Amino acid sequence: MEKEDALNALAALGQETRLDVFRLLVKAGKEGMTAGAISDALEVRPNTLSTHLGALSRSGLVHAERDGRSICYRADLQTMQVLVTYLLQDCCGGNPELCAPIASIAAGKICDTEGSC
Amino acid sequence: MEKEDALNALAALGQETRLDVFRLLVKAGKEGMTAGAISDALEVRPNTLSTHLGALSRSGLVHAERDGRSICYRADLQTMQVLVTYLLQDCCGGNPELCAPIASIAAGKICDTEGSC
DNA sequence: TCGTTATTTCGAGTATTCTCGAATTATGGA
DNA sequence: TCCATAATTCGAGAATACTCGAAATAACGA
C-alpha cells in the first residue's frame, strides 16, 4: 500500500459521519446497504451522504454496486487489513515484544461471537 | 473504546506529517525518538511538529516522556489494537467469512522478519 | 413517453485545520 | 545566576473540508 492510499483511508475514517457509515456497513456485512438505507439509519441528508460515500469509495474502504434504482454499498475489510499492515510495517525490526499486543487482534479477539472466525 | 477516541486517533493518522511521525516511531520501537530527532528526520519545523505531536499524544497513539532537556516520544501499539478492534466490532455478527482477511493480520503477516512475534 | 424514485453533482457559505514567525517555558551546565 | 538548548504556546493568514439547497442523471413501471 502506498502512503497516499493509507492517508486517504485514514482521513476518510477520521470524520464522524464517515466513521458511522463504515461501522454500519461492517455490521451490515456482505449484504451491504443502499445509500438510502444508510441515509435513513444515520439521519444524514442524501446529498451530504453521497459526498461521504464518494470519499469512502475512493479510499477503497467501501465498494458500490448498482442494484436497480438503488446503489448498494459494502465495507471492504481487506483494505482495512492492508491498511493496518501498512501502519505497523517494520514494527518488529528491533523490538519484537512491541508487536505482541497486535497479535491479539487476530481471530480470537474480534470474532468472539462466532467460533468460526 | 469510545467513538470520540477512535475519531481522534483516525483523524490524527489521516494527516501526512502525523502519519509520517507515527510510522517513524513505530520503526523506532521502544527507544522512541526525541522531538528534535523527529524534526530533523522529517524536516518539519519544531513548532509545527509540536502541534502534530500534541494531536498524536491526545489521541493516545504516542506517549511523551521528558528526558533531561529533550522529550522522548514513543508509539503506543496497544492503542492501535484497540482502534482496529473498534473498527471491526460486530463484523462477524452475520457473516464470519468477512473476518477471514483480518485474521491474517496476526503474528505471521506483520512480523515476518522476526520469528518471535 | 412520462412520472416517480434513488442517487449524485454543482456552487456557495461556514467552519475547521495547517503552517509559520515570534514569544514563552523548562532544563542543564558554566 | 546567566546563558544556551529543547520544546511548546500563541496569533494570524491561507488552504481545505463540511454541509446544504437546487439541479442533474439514472432506472423502473405505467
Side-chain angles (χ1 to χ4, degrees):
Chain A
M1 174 176 265
E2 303 290 331
K3 182 163 97 172
E4 197 182 330
D5 299 327
L7 220 35
N8 282 337
L10 290 164
L13 291 174
Q15 200 277 336
E16 185 164 17
T17 302
R18 289 193 297 259
L19 179 57
D20 288 342
V21 169
F22 181 75
R23 298 230 310 146
L24 188 63
L25 290 177
V26 164
K27 288 196 182 100
K30 67 181 173 189
E31 296 195 2
M33 287 177 77
T34 64
I38 299 170
S39 176
D40 289 344
L42 301 180
E43 300 185 55
V44 180
R45 284 170 209 283
N47 58 349
T48 300
L49 177 64
S50 183
T51 302
H52 290 310
L53 284 170
L56 286 167
S57 257
R58 279 190 297 281
S59 75
L61 286 166
V62 309
H63 289 106
E65 186 189 1
R66 183 171 277 278
D67 175 26
R69 272 189 277 214
S70 301
I71 296 183
C72 185
Y73 285 88
R74 294 183 186 80
D76 183 339
L77 295 191
Q78 187 144 20
T79 297
M80 269 300 301
Q81 177 210 335
V82 174
L83 175 60
V84 174
T85 303
Y86 174 84
L87 286 170
L88 299 173
Q89 224 167 345
D90 304 328
C91 76
C92 291
N95 335 278
E97 71 278 15
L98 276 180
C99 287
I102 295 296
S104 67
I105 287 181
K109 287 285 183 185
I110 293 178
C111 306
D112 271 352
T113 54
E114 290 275 340
S116 54
C117 290
Chain B
M1 173 176 265
E2 304 290 330
K3 182 163 98 173
E4 197 180 330
D5 299 327
L7 221 34
N8 282 336
L10 290 164
L13 291 173
Q15 200 277 335
E16 184 163 18
T17 303
R18 289 193 297 259
L19 179 57
D20 289 341
V21 170
F22 181 76
R23 298 230 311 146
L24 189 63
L25 290 177
V26 164
K27 288 196 184 100
K30 66 181 174 188
E31 295 195 2
M33 288 178 75
T34 65
I38 299 170
S39 176
D40 289 345
L42 301 180
E43 299 185 55
V44 180
R45 283 170 211 286
N47 57 349
T48 299
L49 177 64
S50 184
T51 302
H52 289 311
L53 285 170
L56 286 166
S57 260
R58 278 189 299 280
S59 75
L61 286 166
V62 309
H63 288 108
E65 186 187 1
R66 182 171 278 280
D67 176 26
R69 272 189 277 214
S70 301
I71 295 183
C72 186
Y73 285 88
R74 292 181 187 82
D76 182 340
L77 295 191
Q78 187 145 18
T79 296
M80 269 301 301
Q81 178 211 335
V82 175
L83 176 60
V84 174
T85 303
Y86 175 84
L87 286 170
L88 300 173
Q89 225 167 345
D90 304 328
C91 75
C92 292
N95 336 277
E97 72 275 18
L98 276 179
C99 286
I102 296 297
S104 68
I105 288 179
K109 286 286 181 184
I110 293 178
C111 306
D112 272 352
T113 54
E114 290 276 340
S116 52
C117 291

